[in-house]
Amino acid sequence: MEDTIEGSIGLTEAAQIPAQRGTQLLDSAVRYVEERHWEVFPGTWLEPVAGGERCSCAAPVCDAPGAHAVRPDWSSLATGSSAAARRLWGKEPKASILLPTGRTFDALEVPESAGFLALARMERMHTALGPVMCTPDRRLLFLVLPGTSGKLPDLVRRLGWMPGSLDLAARGDGQYVAAPPTRVGGRGAVQWVRKPTLTNRWLPDAEELLSALTYACGREAADGRGRRS
């Protein structure tokens, strides 16, 4: 699977960070700090075992193998210093790259199919977008200004939707996301759909994206009900 997704909606921005294929995790983490001023911290990693790989946490069942926090107080590890990032990944070069949400950005999370439908709609409307990630479990994460998580239910209601009826969530304070090129077990790697560039350095407010996202999530929910009936 390619490290960057080029869909049918004309994603043409050139990446400034990181050069994905073959890029070391340390280099990527440092570039996130230096070029985006994002805080980073190292997570678990994948270790080779007979016949495959397992998460360094050694849990018999791991929901995010190689891509979750090592310890409960992970927040204390987050750093905005490139020198500190070099030290951290110097100790464990295979560690996943995790980015705290609720600080420099929040993330709106939707199913992949709804996310690409919303992206096409936003592109037609010339909506200003921030970076967008795609996870191996087929979720899209739209980076927006921090502070979204607490107000998301009210914003969704104002648009005429019940929050619980849509597969739409926000990651904010006290949470994190795995960043490209982190791999999640055998599922694949986190990828950029919209790469971080100079043109999307200024993140949008969640309200600018929610009309398209709620429409797409609502349509997917309706399609799902139709398939079950």
Side-chain angles (χ1 to χ4, degrees):
M1 184 162 58
E2 293 295 327
D3 289 318
T4 301
I5 298 173
E6 296 294 339
S8 59
I9 56 177
L11 305 181
T12 58
E13 294 183 350
Q16 299 298 311
I17 63 169
Q20 309 235 291
R21 182 172 292 280
T23 298
Q24 294 180 353
L25 289 159
L26 184 152
D27 292 338
S28 298
V30 169
R31 289 187 178 187
Y32 289 137
V33 170
E34 291 183 342
E35 299 183 23
R36 293 301 284 205
H37 305 293
W38 290 342
E39 292 188 30
V40 300
F41 69 98
T44 55
W45 57 91
L46 295 172
E47 296 180 329
V49 294
E53 295 175 308
R54 71 174 182 184
C55 185
S56 61
C57 72
V61 178
C62 183
D63 293 334
H68 64 84
V70 173
R71 61 195 204 194
D73 63 341
W74 58 263
S75 182
S76 65
L77 294 176
T79 180
S81 161
S82 58
R86 287 188 176 92
R87 286 196 302 272
L88 289 168
W89 270 271
K91 293 177 182 177
E92 184 44 69
K94 296 183 294 182
S96 53
I97 302 173
L98 305 179
L99 311 177
T101 51
R103 301 185 183 187
T104 52
F105 63 83
D106 280 3
L108 292 172
E109 179 181 345
V110 298
E112 181 184 83
S113 54
F116 279 114
L117 176 62
L119 273 174
R121 187 179 178 90
M122 292 178 201
E123 189 168 79
R124 289 195 301 270
M125 298 171 65
H126 304 289
T127 303
L129 287 164
V132 181
M133 300 179 194
C134 184
T135 70
D137 55 351
R138 304 179 69 85
R139 308 286 292 181
L140 256 61
L141 299 170
F142 292 74
L143 303 193
V144 295
L145 290 173
T148 297
S149 181
K151 64 183 182 180
L152 181 62
D154 285 340
L155 293 174
V156 170
R157 288 189 190 94
R158 288 180 202 171
L159 291 169
W161 301 91
M162 289 299 294
S165 68
L166 302 178
D167 189 357
L168 168 64
R171 299 196 197 184
D173 190 38
Q175 298 175 288
Y176 58 83
V177 297
T182 295
R183 284 200 302 126
V184 186
R187 305 173 204 168
V190 184
Q191 303 175 75
W192 289 116
V193 177
R194 287 276 183 158
K195 305 173 188 178
T197 70
L198 293 176
T199 60
N200 63 22
R201 178 173 293 277
W202 305 109
L203 297 177
D205 190 282
E207 293 184 55
E208 299 172 41
L209 311 187
L210 275 178
S211 177
L213 288 172
T214 54
Y215 167 80
C217 289
R219 180 169 163 178
E220 177 159 290
D223 290 345
R225 290 192 296 270
R227 288 191 294 268
R228 291 191 296 269
S229 62

